[in-house]
Amino acid sequence: MNKIKILLAFTAALSIFYFIHFLSSIFGHNIFQYYETETMAQKIEFATVLLMEIIIFISLVLISISLTRILKSGVFTSTAAYYLKIGGYLFLSVSFADFIYALYSILEVGSPELWIQRLFTNVLLLLLGLTAVIISDILHQGSFIKQENDLTI
C-alpha cells in the first residue's frame, strides 16, 4: 500500500500542477483582449489546448479518486475500477484528439520537429490510458471474484 500512497501523492501533485498551469494559461493571457486581436486559427488553437488540459486534469482527478478508494476500501473494489476506467478512457480520447490536431497543425505549418514532439506526447498519453484501462479491468475482475468468494463463505 505504500507504493499506492506514493502514486496517489504523485497524481495529486500532478493534478495541482495542471490546475495551476490551467489557471495561468487563462489568466496569463488577457482572454478578452486575446480574443479581440488574434486570428480565428489562433483562437481555435488556444481553445483546443485549454480543452485538452481540462480533460487531462479531470483524468488525473479521477485516477486520484480511484487510488483513494483503493487505499480506503482495498484493492478490488468496483468503484475504484470504474473511476480508473473513466480516467483511462479520457486519456485515450485526449491522445486521439491531440493526434488529429497535430496532423492538422503539421499539415498547416509543416514543421517536422513539432510532429516528433507531439507524437511522443501522444504515445505517452496513449500508454497511460491503455495502462489505466487494463488495470481497471483487472480490478473489476478481482472485485467480481471477491464478491463471489464472499457469497460462498
Side-chain angles (χ1 to χ4, degrees):
M1 288 296 182
N2 286 336
K3 293 177 186 175
I4 294 177
K5 288 179 184 177
I6 292 170
L7 185 60
L8 176 62
F10 179 74
T11 308
L14 197 57
S15 298
I16 292 169
F17 171 74
Y18 254 87
F19 185 70
I20 291 170
H21 177 67
F22 175 71
L23 289 178
S24 69
S25 294
I26 290 178
F27 295 118
H29 296 89
N30 186 353
I31 284 216
F32 301 109
Q33 183 181 18
Y34 183 79
Y35 274 108
E36 292 172 0
T37 58
E38 300 299 323
T39 64
M40 188 59 155
Q42 290 171 329
K43 292 176 189 178
I44 291 172
E45 179 181 359
F46 181 72
T48 304
V49 169
L50 283 181
L51 181 63
M52 286 187 216
E53 288 180 1
I54 289 171
I55 294 173
I56 290 173
F57 172 72
I58 291 170
S59 300
L60 288 170
V61 168
L62 288 172
I63 290 174
S64 295
I65 290 171
S66 174
L67 293 172
T68 304
R69 298 281 178 158
I70 288 172
L71 287 174
K72 286 184 180 179
S73 304
V75 177
F76 298 114
T77 60
S78 59
T79 56
Y82 175 74
Y83 286 122
L84 194 60
K85 182 176 275 191
I86 292 176
Y89 282 137
L90 286 175
F91 275 132
L92 288 174
S93 67
V94 166
S95 174
F96 180 71
D98 191 42
F99 181 75
I100 298 296
Y101 180 69
L103 278 177
Y104 169 75
S105 63
I106 294 304
L107 293 175
E108 179 106 1
V109 177
S111 173
E113 299 87 23
L114 181 65
W115 171 248
I116 292 172
Q117 177 188 2
R118 296 296 274 283
L119 183 65
F120 284 135
T121 303
N122 287 325
V123 167
L124 288 175
L125 282 174
L126 180 74
L127 287 175
L128 185 59
L130 283 175
T131 302
V133 170
I134 291 168
I135 291 174
S136 150
D137 287 341
I138 292 170
L139 292 179
H140 183 69
Q141 289 294 326
S143 171
F144 180 73
I145 292 170
K146 181 181 173 188
Q147 287 175 357
E148 281 186 353
N149 190 25
D150 289 345
L151 288 176
T152 57
I153 292 178

